[in-house]
Amino acid sequence: MGVGKKSERYEMYLRHRKALIDYARPLVGSRQDAEDVVQEAYLHFVPEQESKPLPAKAYLYRIVRNLSFNMRSRRKRHDQIHPGDIPWWALPQAGETPEEELLVHEQLKGAADAMAGLPERARKALQMYRFDGLTLTEISAELGVSVATAHRLVRDAIAEIKAKVDPRI
């Protein structure tokens, strides 16, 4: 009986996958993000307790809607915390005078030292996010943590580096 219920859930998911992506797309802004949301919905919907009765497809849509809103909320918080796409310390810098060159060098060394001083998971998360271009979902899978934890690791790492490089922030 348990396998049958899981199979029914999986079949329901497959039947509605395209429609779910189409539903999520305007909520999250892109097809790629919509596919991520629908894949995450699969992880919530299909493996649920097998003894529970098969819910209506509205339940599946509700999961997608909630995950879409969560993604938008995380993105909005991220954009408020990190308004620029790349922080100044991750961009190539050049000073016009030897003094400015030295200042830039010291600031970059401070950022590198601050990054080296981060806890290992935070450092890995930041490297994957800022330099490897991975999404928070990919980082969470790589580190074996939730997406919210991956977000917190990246956010806190950036805040710590900013504070060490420029204590006025």
Side-chain angles (χ1 to χ4, degrees):
M1 180 175 129
V3 173
K5 291 292 181 191
K6 187 171 185 181
S7 178
E8 287 178 42
R9 286 174 180 272
Y10 181 68
E11 291 299 321
M12 179 185 283
Y13 169 80
L14 285 180
R15 272 194 314 274
H16 299 288
R17 185 177 182 283
K18 184 184 178 323
L20 290 166
I21 292 170
D22 292 342
Y23 173 70
R25 187 175 186 174
L27 296 174
V28 294
S30 75
R31 180 166 180 84
Q32 182 179 2
D33 287 342
E35 288 175 356
D36 288 346
V37 164
V38 171
Q39 182 64 33
E40 191 173 343
Y42 168 84
L43 298 174
H44 290 276
F45 181 73
V46 173
E48 270 194 10
Q49 293 179 2
E50 298 166 4
S51 61
K52 288 184 178 178
L54 184 66
K57 76 177 181 180
Y59 177 63
L60 187 54
Y61 276 86
R62 189 173 345 130
I63 292 171
V64 169
R65 188 190 92 229
N66 290 344
L67 291 171
S68 296
F69 290 157
N70 290 347
M71 178 182 277
R72 281 189 358 199
S73 177
R74 281 190 308 270
R75 189 180 298 142
K76 185 176 180 179
R77 280 194 313 269
H78 178 268
D79 290 347
Q80 288 173 345
I81 296 169
H82 312 291
D85 191 31
I86 300 176
W88 68 267
W89 45 266
L91 295 172
Q93 302 285 322
E96 294 180 14
T97 67
E99 292 82 12
E100 288 176 349
E101 287 280 337
L102 179 63
L103 180 61
V104 167
H105 176 73
E106 287 177 1
Q107 288 175 329
L108 290 176
K109 183 176 179 344
D113 290 346
M115 190 162 176
L118 292 172
E120 185 178 346
R121 272 192 343 175
R123 186 177 63 252
K124 282 182 180 179
L126 180 61
Q127 286 173 325
M128 288 187 274
Y129 186 73
R130 288 292 185 187
F131 302 113
D132 298 338
L134 272 63
T135 65
L136 292 173
T137 303
E138 293 166 331
I139 294 167
S140 70
E142 185 73 25
L143 296 178
V145 298
S146 69
V147 174
T149 298
H151 180 264
R152 183 182 47 77
L153 288 169
V154 170
R155 182 196 65 216
D156 292 351
I158 290 172
E160 189 168 332
I161 290 172
K162 281 182 178 180
K164 288 183 178 175
V165 171
D166 188 356
R168 296 171 294 159
I169 296 177

